Amino acid sequence: NAGVTQTPKFQVLKTGQSMTLQCAQDMNHEYMSWYRQDPGMGLRLIHYSVGAGITDQGEVPNGYNVSRSTTEDFPLRLLSAAPSQTSVYFCASSRERDGKNIQYFGAGTRLSVL
Amino acid sequence: GIQVEQSPPDLILQEGANSTLRCNFSDSVNNLQWFHQNPWGQLINLFYIPSGTKQNGRLSATTVATERYSLLYISSSQTTDSGVYFCAAKAAGNKLTFGGGTRVLVKP
């Protein structure tokens, strides 16, 4: 199993550009989430999904869109990048099993918006 | 939503020392996890522990759900223990909330 795979690892954008951060998992997990981590801070939830076709907003959803057309993939779209979106983005997946719901993280995407 | 606070924010240890990290949460939880973020940024799950005590090698964790806190113990610390330790908790619903982390530096 590859686990949770994020691409790209690094990206530099200009203000106003759009892009999609990719996230894929091969563990058949129903739950998937996107977080952002700013320097010296914890992770803040952007959007999450409890299954294909179902998404919901997290703590900081503005400026981001998501969709979940398949169980495996959960892309995050930046519609019009702003310098405030410079951050490290983490995708995570999990499933409910034996009363546990443990999150597994991808390696992260480091995004700079100039 | 639930509030998660970690202390101390920073911890410097001499190799071989023991330490305790604390996580306080503001509501009853059905999910509590401890993560280690290594210096390269990778997040690894250490414990799933909404209640009780667990041990994994030199690390152990205890959650006292009725008093709304969890403790992570590091014994005989090694330089590879350096990084940031995060506690994350979930109450009702599906949103896991992270604390601000404890940054640990273990000196040789």
Side-chain angles (χ1 to χ4, degrees), chain A residues 31 35 37 40-45 48 50 56-58 90 96 99-108 110, chain B residues 30-31 33 35 37 40-45 48 50 54 84 86 90 93-101 103:
Chain A
Y31 300 102
Y35 297 87
Q37 184 180 27
M41 296 180 66
L43 281 73
R44 291 185 292 169
L45 183 65
Y48 66 100
V50 300
D56 204 349
Q57 295 181 350
F90 288 97
E96 195 78 36
K100 297 180 181 180
N101 191 324
I102 297 172
Q103 290 231 333
Y104 297 88
F105 282 87
R110 189 174 297 273
Chain B
N30 55 22
N31 186 329
Q33 299 178 48
F35 296 88
Q37 186 171 39
W40 296 270
Q42 181 67 43
L43 282 153
I44 303 296
N45 184 282
Y48 176 88
K54 289 186 177 178
V84 185
F86 289 104
K90 186 174 74 172
N94 297 302
K95 302 175 184 180
L96 196 65
T97 299
F98 281 74
R103 188 174 301 272

Side-chain angles (χ1 to χ4, degrees), chain A residues 11-83:
Chain A
Q11 183 71 48
V12 179
L13 293 177
K14 294 181 179 179
T15 297
Q17 286 185 314
S18 62
M19 79 160 294
T20 299
L21 308 185
Q22 300 292 345
C23 176
Q25 53 91 10
D26 62 357
M27 298 176 282
N28 201 30
H29 286 175
E30 63 264 35
Y31 300 102
M32 295 187 76
S33 304
W34 276 104
Y35 297 87
R36 61 177 288 173
Q37 184 180 27
D38 298 313
M41 296 180 66
L43 281 73
R44 291 185 292 169
L45 183 65
I46 304 171
H47 285 286
Y48 66 100
S49 169
V50 300
I54 306 170
T55 63
D56 204 349
Q57 295 181 350
E59 181 184 357
V60 287
N62 292 341
Y64 307 95
N65 273 359
V66 292
S67 59
R68 184 99 180 269
S69 56
T70 67
T71 299
E72 294 78 19
D73 300 299
F74 191 43
L76 178 72
R77 296 182 186 86
L78 279 69
L79 309 173
S80 177

